[in-house]
Amino acid sequence: MQKAWAVLSLILTCCMLLYLLLWENLSEQFHSKTVTISALILSRLRNTSLHIAERPIFPTEKEVSTTPIPILYKNNFTKLPEWDFEDVYLRNSEARRPTCPKSLQNTEDPKFKEAVLPDIQLWLYKNLLNITEWNRLAHFNNPFGFMEYKYNEVKRAVDLIPKPSIFLPVPENSKDGCIRCAVVGTGGILNNSKMGKEIDSHDYVFRVNGAVIQGYEEDVGNKTSVYVHTSFSMYSNIITLKKYGFNSIPLDKGIKYVMIPEGMRDFDWLQGLLQGKASNGSFKGVSPLKYFKGNFNESRFYVLHPDFLRYIRNRFMPSKQLQGRYWAIYRPTNGAFALFLAIHTCDIVDAYGFITEDHHMYSNYYYEMFKKTHVIFYINHDYGLEIKTWKELHDAGIIRLFQRN
């Protein structure tokens, strides 16, 4: 009997040792797979209250590699949530390195040098969105991330976007290797300005939104190299600005189109555009391709990355509105994003038609010849901050801001 108990005890001891060995090995594997997603889920929030629908904090081993984090909702935050990785951005090792001696990247302005990231990832395209990236970007509201969205719905559209080619090459006739750009807003300050010829003299001309040109060439020029838009601005401006002669978006030969993905409707629009069919969602039944009138080419189409948009907000335009109940509504204007895109892709940047301190002296838009309106400071933008920002960039020599006085 004693011999039998000894054998049984030995067997149980061996089983226990084998169990502990296997448990330790599995635990190490599970921990290595969950550490990244757990860090995202458990990242500390500073000065923000968050309520997430109940579910286990730690996903199963199968969920770790295949499941997005629980959806976060804007209404659960009383102000902008500040994550530990709020100021972490995707970087691009292939970013342009300018040779222009006058390049604004060579500026000595301390504030700008501290804030700017010359290698920030500008573009969103296929292969840049996977579960890991989604679980990071899902913490940020649109257009700065994918909060409230579903992974599969966004990824379907992103996977259609081809990797973009070089955005703005140095002109062949450039003797100093510099890229000179004009960014043209729609401000009434351009009305009767006679700046058209000067604007067109630049290597590249950026325009945004309702870029009305016909009949206003003397003030705003007629050349467009880059057109920056959202799906809504493209759709709505064709309807509302017909009375001003805006019958189509700019269609210049070789023009490049840059889309700001401001919401889910833009990803629905993208899917329709890149598949050559009608869109779903907000623009259900609308064919995005018709707005390009046969001028669409994937090699000249670009989509701004949410990291770039968030970087502009965080480092250059952090409005006080982000600390209030309407934090999720605020974002810089399309014109602001276009101007900062030029700052990151050009060497010398001149801005025309942007809001200035004396904006009350001019109409809201340069194409308002008869019934003039004035800027309304809606809560979704911070025009006071934009006035201050453009003036500071001008005074620091980063841009040259057109001013009448």
Side-chain angles (χ1 to χ4, degrees):
M1 179 66 70
Q2 289 182 346
K3 186 176 180 180
W5 276 110
V7 172
L8 180 60
S9 177
L10 179 62
I11 292 173
L12 289 173
T13 301
C14 291
C15 289
M16 180 61 71
L17 289 172
L18 180 60
Y19 174 78
L20 290 173
L21 182 62
L22 289 172
W23 175 255
E24 181 178 2
N25 185 49
L26 287 172
S27 296
E28 287 180 359
Q29 291 182 27
F30 180 75
H31 176 73
S32 66
K33 291 181 180 179
T34 59
V35 66
T36 301
I37 193 168
S38 296
L40 287 172
I41 295 174
L42 300 177
S43 288
R44 297 186 304 278
L45 278 171
R46 299 188 293 271
N47 305 320
T48 307
S49 59
L50 169 65
H51 307 283
I52 302 178
E54 291 185 6
R55 62 163 288 167
I57 292 178
F58 294 100
T60 66
E61 184 173 1
K62 184 178 180 181
E63 286 180 316
V64 168
S65 59
T66 61
T67 305
I69 63 170
I71 295 176
L72 302 179
Y73 294 94
K74 292 177 282 190
N75 288 341
N76 290 330
F77 299 91
T78 58
K79 58 181 178 179
L80 176 73
E82 298 179 29
W83 307 97
D84 283 348
F85 45 92
E86 175 70 37
D87 203 39
V88 175
Y89 311 99
L90 197 61
R91 311 288 276 274
N92 180 12
S93 60
E94 301 176 356
R96 171 179 173 266
R97 292 173 175 78
T99 57
C100 170
K102 299 177 183 178
S103 177
L104 54 83
Q105 288 193 24
N106 298 327
T107 181
E108 294 301 318
D109 181 73
K111 186 176 180 181
F112 183 77
K113 286 179 68 174
E114 182 180 1
V116 73
L117 296 175
D119 62 345
I120 184 76
Q121 178 64 41
L122 297 175
W123 314 118
L124 177 66
Y125 54 88
K126 61 183 178 182
N127 300 328
L128 286 187
L129 186 60
N130 51 35
I131 288 290
T132 301
E133 273 295 272
W134 175 269
N135 286 339
R136 178 178 69 87
L137 292 168
H139 288 77
F140 310 113
N141 65 298
N142 60 291
F144 315 104
F146 302 126
M147 184 181 286
E148 297 192 348
Y149 299 158
K150 295 180 180 178
Y151 174 67
N152 290 335
E153 293 179 357
V154 174
K155 186 170 173 58
R156 274 199 299 267
V158 174
D159 283 351
L160 296 172
I161 307 172
K163 184 177 180 179
S165 56
I166 295 175
F167 185 52
L168 299 179
V170 177
E172 294 181 359
N173 61 354
S174 175
K175 296 180 180 179
D176 54 7
C178 296
I179 298 176
R180 294 169 171 80
C181 297
V183 186
V184 185
T186 56
I189 193 172
L190 282 175
N191 191 297
N192 201 34
S193 65
K194 307 295 190 292
M195 285 290 107
K197 187 174 293 187
E198 179 177 304
I199 289 171
D200 286 345
S201 70
H202 291 76
D203 298 321
Y204 300 102
V205 178
F206 290 60
R207 298 187 194 271
V208 299
N209 299 343
V212 180
I213 290 176
Q214 186 177 356
Y216 305 92
E217 294 89 345
E218 189 177 14
D219 292 335
V220 302
N222 61 11
K223 170 182 174 180
T224 306
S225 315
V226 179
Y227 180 63
V228 182
H229 65 283
T230 64
S231 59
F232 180 75
S233 70
M234 183 178 289
Y235 175 85
S236 63
N237 284 324
I238 294 295
I239 297 173
T240 61
L241 300 181
K242 276 187 177 181
K243 58 185 177 183
Y244 298 113
F246 190 70
N247 296 312
S248 74
I249 62 174
L251 300 169
D252 300 50
K253 182 179 179 181
I255 189 173
K256 301 192 176 182
Y257 297 101
V258 175
M259 186 176 192
I260 302 170
E262 67 173 350
M264 192 61 221
R265 62 189 176 193
D266 293 275
F267 293 102
D268 291 333
W269 180 278
L270 273 170
Q271 196 168 345
L273 175 66
L274 296 173
Q275 290 183 329
K277 62 182 186 180
S279 179
N280 288 315
S282 300
F283 299 106
K284 186 175 179 61
V286 176
S287 174
L289 268 179
K290 76 175 185 179
Y291 292 88
F292 296 86
K293 296 188 175 181
N295 199 41
F296 180 75
N297 187 318
E298 285 188 1
S299 67
R300 293 186 279 107
F301 182 74
Y302 303 75
V303 180
L304 288 174
H305 196 286
D307 268 0
F308 175 71
L309 303 177
R310 195 174 77 261
Y311 152 77
I312 298 305
R313 181 197 68 183
N314 290 352
R315 296 201 170 196
F316 297 98
M317 310 193 75
S319 173
K320 293 180 180 178
Q321 293 172 200
L322 294 171
Q323 302 307 311
R325 60 184 295 194
Y326 299 111
W327 67 272
I329 298 177
Y330 166 73
R331 73 170 183 82
T333 60
N334 290 353
F337 286 137
L339 183 51
F340 275 107
L341 175 62
I343 288 173
H344 284 75
T345 55
C346 308
D347 297 307
I348 299 168
V349 177
D350 297 331
Y352 304 83
F354 281 75
I355 192 168
T356 54
E357 292 175 336
D358 59 348
H359 63 88
H360 57 278
M361 297 176 58
Y362 317 106
S363 61
N364 195 357
Y365 304 108
Y366 63 75
Y367 44 78
E368 292 179 327
M369 300 295 290
F370 305 106
K371 185 180 179 181
K372 297 185 178 182
T373 62
H374 293 282
V375 180
I376 299 176
F377 282 46
Y378 292 111
I379 199 169
N380 62 323
H381 300 309
D382 190 338
Y383 288 110
L385 176 60
E386 297 206 4
I387 290 170
K388 179 182 177 182
T389 302
W390 310 149
K391 185 68 163 58
E392 287 181 349
L393 290 174
H394 173 82
D395 292 343
I398 308 300
I399 66 172
R400 183 173 68 89
L401 177 66
F402 173 67
Q403 301 169 86
R404 294 289 281 267
N405 296 327

